[in-house]
Amino acid sequence: MPDSEQCTPSAPPLTPATSSTSSTSSAPPEPSVPAPRHPTHSVDRAFLNLERRRPHVRWDAGGVAYLGGPPPSLADLRAYVGFRLGELPLLTSRVMGGRRSRWQPDGDFAVDRQVHEVVADGPAGWDSALHTALNAPFAPGAYWGVWLIHGHEPDAYAVCYRFHHACQDGAAAAVTFRTMLGGGEPSARPVPGRSGLSGAPRRVGAAVGLAARFLAGSLAVRGHRPDAAFTPSGERRLWRGRVPSDTLRRIGAGRGGSAHDVHLAALAGALSVWSARAGVTLPRVTAVLPVDARRADEEQTWGNRCFALPIELSVRTARELPDGSRNPQAPLRRLDHVMATTRKLRGETWRQAIQDLVRFMPDRPTEWYLRRMLSPRVTNVMATSMPLADRGSLGETQVTGTALLPLLVPGHLFAVGLSFFGDWAEVSFVADRALPLGEELPELWEQAVGELAESSTPV
């Protein structure tokens, strides 16, 4: 179906609840001209090439929205998604061309090929239905898919959205969430100011220096072959936890850091306990952090503008004192270790340098760097976070929770995502089903956040 036809459907059976903002009202979007042809980015092309090189690897990410209320029918959900696609032209486009490839409207697009249904066999069938949606292949030629998951309860269901990473990064996917289910809030992503090409020599020097820094970090472990912690089954699982978002922000602010810093420090603490329980030796844990590198005037809805940065997690910090009692300073030491790196990321110089690297780095260096950063020889955990929305709805049903589905790289222990939705910071762990005691990771993370809160409270 041509893109222009997707922009002018009749009003769908599902209309956003009246509590949503005007950007998600029931009025259909105005007719628009066919979507322009957007050039692919070097990161888009890198992910497409990774898929060609390793076709059996899943290069998709996404998220799950949990909703309270009776689920829609599959036909109604397809009509609703088709109605919203007029605001997301990327999702009705595909990559065309060779070296100068572009996103162009897909004349064969059909929403029925993108939106699917998984029905649970009663309350006991919820996990099976959820993981069916998590592992289902895309339709042939599709870059994304939506799965309606229901049948376990009469007044609860979930919507799973997954996309090929060449199609979107996390920031663009968050826009998709807000367009489909949210209230239209901005992403609150930090971006450098509109500096144009001013200070070009200094910016070139900073970008080259930053590239050399992370290049050296990747080469330092060249030839390192980490021991396999388990034999993968090829089937992904999702486990969730949550804490009040104000808890993370309060702990971070007390040390001059951010909620994301607290999340990473808690992740290090959780891994320290998990390693001992699961019998998995962790001589080092290096997380790869996706960083949104869009310019202030750049759209969030087209392709990738992200950069991958490695950060070592202080997993081996002593949890106990010589007398066997708990070391109350261990959680804060982990937090300070994380902040020593992320403080630079929040500075204007580093953020501008990352933006310049993503904007100007050619295809081959981009793909080489991405392969290195995703290699288990360099990193062994994918860790990301994303502010989603203050609220969300589908028809009269309200979003009650969210879970990010970060990219799970072969050889990594797991991927972990932190989503901020409403008053909650929700952590999600995506891992292979064979990961030992993977189901304990969310609770261990929650406990580690509690230890940070206790350690940071003045006596």
Side-chain angles (χ1 to χ4, degrees):
M1 186 178 296
D3 183 68
S4 58
E5 294 180 16
Q6 292 296 321
C7 299
T8 57
S10 58
L14 287 173
T15 54
T18 56
S19 60
S20 298
T21 65
S22 59
S23 64
T24 55
S25 66
S26 59
E30 295 181 0
S32 63
V33 298
R37 297 180 177 184
H38 283 250
T40 57
H41 190 267
S42 59
V43 183
D44 303 343
R45 296 188 290 272
F47 275 112
L48 288 170
N49 286 337
L50 285 172
E51 182 186 38
R52 295 187 188 104
R53 290 171 179 266
R54 305 178 69 181
H56 300 298
V57 172
R58 297 176 181 269
W59 297 105
D60 62 279
V64 179
Y66 299 84
L67 297 101
S73 68
L74 177 60
D76 282 355
L77 181 61
R78 284 173 169 170
Y80 180 88
V81 171
F83 176 71
R84 286 297 179 204
L85 287 177
E87 301 172 57
L88 297 165
L90 171 74
L91 298 187
T92 54
S93 302
R94 61 182 302 103
V95 175
M96 304 291 287
R99 295 182 60 184
R100 297 182 178 275
S101 57
R102 291 177 174 271
W103 291 98
Q104 300 182 20
D106 182 2
D108 295 325
F109 178 84
V111 72
D112 289 5
R113 290 194 299 120
Q114 316 288 138
V115 183
H116 316 280
E117 181 179 37
V118 182
V119 182
D121 186 13
W126 167 249
D127 282 347
S128 176
L130 174 65
H131 294 119
T132 294
L134 191 65
N135 292 283
F138 292 143
Y143 290 105
W144 60 275
V146 169
W147 284 263
L148 170 65
I149 314 164
H150 65 99
H152 61 297
E153 293 181 22
D155 289 320
Y157 67 102
V159 175
C160 175
Y161 169 63
R162 290 173 32 226
F163 57 90
H164 191 293
H165 218 305
C167 177
Q168 291 181 320
D169 56 22
V175 172
T176 300
F177 176 94
R178 285 188 290 275
T179 302
M180 293 285 185
L181 300 174
E185 300 89 350
S187 70
R189 63 187 179 94
V191 296
R194 297 174 179 269
S195 57
L197 294 177
S198 62
R202 178 185 60 80
R203 285 172 52 184
V204 169
V208 171
L210 189 66
R213 176 190 180 99
F214 291 112
L215 174 64
S218 71
L219 294 177
V221 291
R222 188 176 181 86
H224 170 71
R225 291 186 178 275
D227 296 330
F230 59 94
T231 301
S233 68
E235 187 176 351
R236 293 178 291 189
R237 285 290 187 268
L238 168 65
W239 301 288
R240 301 168 60 212
R242 58 163 40 178
V243 297
S245 55
D246 283 347
T247 300
L248 296 187
R249 295 188 179 106
R250 183 173 61 252
I251 297 170
R255 305 288 286 188
S258 68
H260 183 62
D261 295 335
V262 179
H263 160 57
L264 292 176
L267 177 60
L271 278 170
S272 178
V273 178
W274 174 83
S275 173
R277 289 187 184 179
V280 177
T281 303
L282 296 177
R284 68 173 184 89
V285 175
T286 304
V288 56
L289 307 183
V291 176
D292 183 9
R294 284 172 174 79
R295 303 190 305 275
D297 60 345
E298 204 161 26
E299 282 192 87
Q300 294 188 64
T301 54
W302 289 89
N304 290 266
R305 300 295 187 275
C306 62
F307 194 68
L309 295 179
I311 179 171
E312 184 179 355
L313 299 181
S314 185
V315 173
R316 303 183 70 182
T317 300
R319 293 178 52 85
E320 297 181 349
L321 297 173
D323 62 2
S325 61
R326 187 176 72 87
N327 181 2
Q329 294 303 310
L332 295 180
R333 287 177 182 173
R334 293 192 182 97
L335 179 55
D336 291 340
H337 178 85
V338 168
M339 289 170 51
T341 297
T342 60
R343 185 179 294 112
K344 297 178 181 178
L345 289 177
R346 288 191 291 272
E348 181 72 16
T349 300
W350 267 40
R351 187 161 288 279
Q352 185 67 68
I354 291 171
Q355 187 187 81
D356 290 337
L357 278 174
V358 171
R359 183 178 182 183
F360 297 114
M361 196 155 63
D363 282 10
R364 288 186 179 181
T366 297
E367 184 179 347
W368 183 90
Y369 179 83
L370 192 60
R371 288 204 314 267
R372 290 297 300 169
M373 285 299 106
L374 296 180
S375 169
R377 297 183 180 185
V378 178
T379 60
N380 46 10
V381 169
M382 170 71 75
T384 188
S385 68
M386 183 58 57
L388 288 179
D390 289 336
R391 62 187 181 276
S393 62
L394 181 58
E396 297 299 323
T397 61
Q398 301 296 312
V399 178
T400 59
T402 59
L404 299 185
L405 303 175
L407 180 67
L408 180 60
V409 180
H412 280 196
L413 291 170
F414 54 77
V416 57
L418 184 70
S419 58
F420 292 91
F421 179 80
D423 296 329
W424 294 99
E426 309 212 36
V427 70
S428 56
F429 289 85
V430 178
D432 190 274
R433 177 172 54 84
L435 180 72
L437 303 182
E439 68 279 3
E440 295 188 10
L441 285 167
E443 183 179 357
L444 293 176
W445 179 86
E446 291 174 352
Q447 292 173 359
V449 172
E451 291 179 357
L452 278 163
E454 181 182 345
S455 299
S456 61
T457 301
V459 178

